């Protein structure tokens, strides 16, 4: 039987205005070229005399997102490149790699062969895990089987810059042919400040549409 060759990377089709920021090389160049250049035009609703403060606000916000993504072991961060409002900047998603821990703690990743029926069994066990009280579900990400969670978090007061609830959608999927590697894709959005609003749910739907284009390369 021919062994599955593990893929080297993945690909996604992004909505207009969204860009990929690599986190393990070329990060600053990508930020300067793809994100910060796009904030030279001040969005409607921001007074002209506050333009400099607005640009500084966006730079600090994006830099903080990058640092948090790196601490989380991220591979790539995806953000809107053209900042047309403060609301839109409250939406992003992170791709990170999860290594098999092999510690036997029952988290579902150890002893997982990331291809064939065994991977599907592991995914089914993972789907039973709950995030913010919500169980996962098996779903295709492009042609790859994954577990998807959707849940809402509320501010706990630990971060003064987070004062509204966020809607999250997480996907976890195995890397074919490599039982020790899994990929996590995590989206979060504050939307318009209401996690249950039509606008916030539309941003979640947009992320699901992006994940429907997922491919291993």
């Amino acid at each position: 039987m021919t062994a599955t060759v593990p893929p080297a990377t993945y690909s996604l089709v992004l909505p207009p205005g969204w860009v990929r920021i690599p986190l393990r090389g070329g990060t600053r160049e990508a930020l300067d070229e793809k994100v910060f250049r796009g904030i030279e035009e001040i969005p409607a609703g921001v007074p002209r005399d506050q333009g400099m403060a607005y640009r500084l606000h966006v730079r600090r916000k994006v830099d903080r997102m990058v640092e948090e993504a790196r601490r989380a072991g991220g591979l790539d961060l995806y953000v809107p490149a053209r900042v047309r409002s403060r609301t839109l900047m409250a939406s992003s998603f992170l791709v990170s790699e999860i290594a098999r821990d092999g510690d036997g703690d029952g988290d579902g990743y150890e002893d997982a062969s990331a291809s064939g029926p065994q991977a599907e069994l592991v995914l089914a066990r993972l789907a039973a895990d709950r995030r913010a009280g919500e169980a996962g579900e098996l779903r295709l990400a492009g042609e790859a089987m994954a577990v998807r969670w959707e849940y809402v978090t509320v501010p706990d007061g630990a971060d003064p810059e987070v004062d509204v609830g966020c809607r999250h959608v997480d996907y976890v999927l195995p890397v074919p042919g490599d039982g020790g590697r899994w990929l996590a894709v995590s989206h979060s959005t504050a939307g318009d400040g209401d996690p249950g609003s039509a606008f916030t749910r539309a941003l979640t739907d947009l992320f699901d549409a992006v994940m429907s284009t997922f491919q291993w390369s």
Side-chain angles (χ1 to χ4, degrees):
M1 184 174 64
T2 302
T4 300
V5 177
T9 187
Y10 69 92
S11 64
L12 291 167
V13 178
L14 298 177
W18 281 71
V19 297
R20 166 183 168 267
I21 305 300
L23 298 173
R24 299 188 179 180
T27 305
R28 180 52 51 184
E29 294 81 358
L31 287 172
D32 289 341
E33 175 66 24
K34 298 178 179 180
V35 179
F36 296 148
R37 181 175 293 183
I39 63 175
E40 294 306 314
E41 180 181 350
I42 302 173
V46 176
R48 305 304 297 181
D49 60 352
Q50 296 182 18
M52 184 62 70
Y54 172 78
R55 295 187 187 99
L56 183 60
H57 164 79
V58 173
R59 281 181 174 271
R60 286 176 173 170
K61 183 177 181 67
V62 175
D63 283 339
R64 182 182 179 192
M65 291 169 62
V66 167
E67 289 306 311
E68 290 177 349
R70 280 176 167 166
R71 287 198 297 269
L75 297 173
D76 301 301
L77 176 67
Y78 293 82
V79 298
R82 293 290 180 177
V83 185
R84 299 189 182 278
S85 70
R86 295 174 189 264
T87 298
L88 188 56
M89 276 307 299
S91 186
S92 63
F93 66 93
L94 174 68
V95 177
S96 55
E97 186 176 354
I98 304 171
R100 184 177 65 185
D101 54 26
D103 59 8
D105 63 2
D107 63 7
Y109 290 103
E110 61 273 359
D111 301 324
S113 173
S115 61
Q118 180 65 21
E120 294 182 8
L121 290 174
V122 175
L123 287 170
R125 291 202 301 269
L126 288 176
D129 292 345
R130 292 183 176 272
R131 299 190 176 185
E134 301 293 337
E137 61 173 347
L138 294 178
R139 179 179 292 200
L140 285 174
E143 296 183 353
M145 184 59 71
V147 179
R148 177 188 182 276
W149 291 266
E150 181 172 352
Y151 55 97
V152 172
T153 58
V154 296
D156 57 8
D159 188 340
E161 293 193 17
V162 179
D163 57 2
V164 296
C166 289
R167 180 166 291 274
H168 301 261
V169 175
D170 299 339
Y171 283 79
V172 171
L173 56 161
V175 178
D178 189 338
R181 296 169 59 210
W182 293 70
L183 207 68
V185 189
S186 304
H187 172 263
S188 65
T189 179
D192 58 4
D194 177 3
S197 73
F199 178 79
T200 303
R201 290 181 180 275
L203 293 177
T204 296
D205 292 341
L206 178 64
F207 171 65
D208 280 328
V210 170
M211 287 302 297
S212 73
T213 71
F214 182 93
Q215 289 186 346
W216 293 112
S217 301

